[in-house]
Amino acid sequence: MPTDLTIRTYDTPPHLGRQLVLDPRSLAYRRAYDGQPLRATEWEPRIPVLDQQNLVAQGIYTSQDYGLDDDVDALSSCTGNAGTALLSILLTKDQAAGAGLDTDDATAAEHFAIGLYADATENDQWQDARWPSQDVGSSGLGIAKALRDRGLIDQYGHATTAEGLCTLLQTGPVLMGMGWYAAFNEPDSSGFVDADPNWASSPLEGGHEVCVTALEAVAHIDGALDPDRTVLRFRNSWSSSWADHGDARLTIRTVLALLDQIDIIQPRIDGVTP
């Protein structure tokens, strides 16, 4: 196993599945905030909201489709699902079809996400487990490498600060891995997972990967980001019935509180604005 990686593993209940892995060689190319004006931005996935749970109801039978002994109804494949949502933004409909991603069919797109998850576990050299033999989750870094290995992106960059995250969102969507607390499972009526001020006192359930699709609001106090009024929106992979039609929100204050558990990766296609 590589010894120069930062690794934090979590238990992997089927609705989660992200592990924290940071590569110092990649972090050397992180995009730091350079003082540029930050504006609200939005990047809309071109696929339906995916669902890594309720697989059988979607017509996904892991026994016949992936050679497992039994059908499982949920996978720890949030990294693959988040990566698929992001890819659907970067590629046009025709480009996605050429890559094997059907942007009109949720079940086909979920199969694509599962395949991407499998590729990511092959890239996760820090662990021996591979899917479909073992469903132990993956990492944002593994997904970025899988996308690059498939020739679907040119490069990927990191951010390690809230300002850096907002900077990346000026040019495209972002993969964000984060610690997932039990309170996040029940967003408020506006879709805020961190509406409960005591969310940090709820149990840490594991690690989760989402696709950040919007910097919905930007506010400042004395020239610095206002952590309570600067808002992110992300696409989750728990079906369109969860939160705000499958999307949810959180404030930059929550990002700051979780920063030691967060990794931020932006897969990119050079010279192409989606």
Side-chain angles (χ1 to χ4, degrees), residues 242-262:
W242 184 79
D244 184 4
H245 304 287
D247 290 347
R249 297 171 176 86
L250 77 168
T251 66
I252 286 296
R253 182 173 295 282
T254 299
V255 172
L256 293 172
L258 288 174
L259 209 52
D260 65 339
Q261 296 187 54
I262 282 178

Side-chain angles (χ1 to χ4, degrees), residues 61-261:
Y61 300 95
T62 52
S63 60
Q64 66 185 41
D65 295 336
Y66 300 103
L68 300 184
D69 291 337
D70 300 298
D71 290 322
V72 298
D73 208 28
L75 288 173
S76 305
S77 58
C78 58
T79 53
N81 283 270
T84 301
L86 181 141
L87 188 66
S88 77
I89 299 171
L90 295 186
L91 301 182
T92 66
K93 182 181 180 69
D94 288 343
Q95 288 171 334
L101 173 58
D102 186 337
T103 56
D104 296 322
D105 187 313
T107 298
E110 182 60 37
H111 275 295
F112 183 95
I114 292 170
L116 190 60
Y117 167 50
D119 286 358
T121 64
E122 290 292 331
N123 283 310
D124 286 330
Q125 297 179 9
W126 50 273
Q127 65 175 357
D128 294 329
R130 301 287 183 269
W131 197 85
S133 59
Q134 292 175 281
D135 181 28
V136 297
S138 182
S139 66
L141 182 62
I143 290 295
K145 289 181 176 180
L147 291 172
R148 189 179 59 185
D149 288 347
R150 290 190 183 191
L152 300 177
I153 63 169
D154 298 321
Q155 60 171 311
Y156 50 88
H158 293 262
T160 55
T161 66
E163 293 85 358
L165 168 59
C166 293
T167 300
L168 290 179
L169 285 167
Q170 301 302 293
T171 58
V174 172
L175 296 178
M176 185 170 74
M178 58 189 291
W180 193 264
Y181 287 76
F184 294 165
N185 292 323
E186 298 182 6
D188 70 2
S189 59
S190 297
F192 280 90
V193 297
D194 52 357
D196 181 351
N198 298 313
W199 62 261
S201 298
S202 66
L204 176 62
E205 294 191 336
H208 192 39
E209 192 87 18
V210 298
C211 178
V212 183
T213 58
L215 180 58
E216 278 200 333
V218 183
H220 294 85
I221 298 178
D222 297 328
L225 282 177
D226 180 341
D228 294 310
R229 294 189 298 133
T230 301
V231 176
L232 304 176
R233 186 173 78 241
F234 63 85
R235 171 63 55 89
N236 204 356
S237 52
W238 294 349
S239 86
S240 60
S241 65
W242 184 79
D244 184 4
H245 304 287
D247 290 347
R249 297 171 176 86
L250 77 168
T251 66
I252 286 296
R253 182 173 295 282
T254 299
V255 172
L256 293 172
L258 288 174
L259 209 52
D260 65 339
Q261 296 187 54

